[in-house]
Amino acid sequence: RRDTYPYTQMADATPESGGDGGGRSACGKVLSHAAEFPRRCAAQQRERLRTSHATVGLLFLVGGLLIGAMAAGFGIASEHVEEARREWFDAAPWAAWLVIPFGLTFTVLLTRTCFDGTAGSGIPLEMTAFILADGDPNLARIFSARIMVGKVALTLLGQLCGASSGREGPTVQVDSRL
């Protein structure tokens, strides 16, 4: 019977007979390996979590810095545009009669022809993005890089022309892209 069961043949392997040196049977090795398996898996998982926590933490740090820098830059640019518009209209009050209608018409024309998806506040668009599935063409239409650049540029252009547009909605839409 010993010669038909291969694991019992290995039980006789000793260092003196040129065996594996432990005198443990193959079945004992399998059981030992099975007992160590959960500990090894747990150690590997702890290491993966340790490195993934660092990666996720770095991602959140860099993402937060980018979003903060973009929001602050957009706010500063908006304040400069508002100040330039005030100075411009104070220096030439008659310019308001030309800039407001023609500038805002041009802004709407750009919105509808070149930057479709930039109209409206960014907050409802962001809420819509949670409903849309990945790969939906409407998602790409609302959150492409071209739309994000257009959203910032058209908001600033609208403010320069005298529109009373806030920057909070566009900031949310653009920052969600980041």
Side-chain angles (χ1 to χ4, degrees):
R1 185 104 178 134
R2 279 189 108 164
D3 56 336
T4 60
Y5 193 64
Y7 294 118
T8 57
Q9 290 176 355
M10 293 180 68
D12 296 333
T14 61
E16 294 83 26
S17 65
D20 65 351
R24 291 188 339 204
S25 68
C27 190
K29 288 180 185 179
V30 169
L31 289 176
S32 172
H33 178 73
E36 291 176 18
F37 181 74
R39 282 181 286 221
R40 277 198 320 254
C41 283
Q44 289 173 350
Q45 286 292 73
R46 279 192 300 274
E47 184 60 32
R48 283 188 197 128
L49 284 175
R50 191 174 308 124
T51 58
S52 69
H53 283 311
T55 304
V56 169
L58 182 64
L59 178 68
F60 275 101
L61 177 67
V62 170
L65 289 173
L66 283 174
I67 288 170
M70 187 276 160
F74 190 33
I76 291 168
S78 179
E79 289 174 7
H80 286 300
V81 164
E82 289 287 329
E83 185 179 325
R85 183 187 50 81
R86 264 188 250 112
E87 289 174 2
W88 185 22
F89 286 171
D90 287 344
W94 56 269
W97 292 98
L98 295 174
V99 171
I100 291 174
F102 292 117
L104 293 178
T105 302
F106 180 66
T107 304
V108 170
L109 180 69
L110 285 176
T111 300
R112 292 187 178 171
T113 57
C114 300
F115 298 104
D116 187 31
T118 61
S121 173
I123 296 171
L125 293 173
E126 180 63 29
M127 290 189 293
T128 303
F130 286 115
I131 298 168
L132 299 175
D134 286 341
D136 191 334
N138 290 321
L139 188 67
R141 187 177 73 92
I142 295 171
F143 292 103
S144 69
R146 182 178 62 85
I147 295 300
M148 298 304 112
V149 169
K151 188 76 167 182
V152 171
L154 291 174
T155 300
L156 294 175
L157 179 63
Q159 288 177 342
L160 182 65
C161 294
S164 60
S165 59
R167 62 178 182 258
E168 293 80 13
T171 301
V172 168
Q173 185 179 358
V174 172
D175 285 345
S176 68
R177 171 74 168 119
L178 293 176

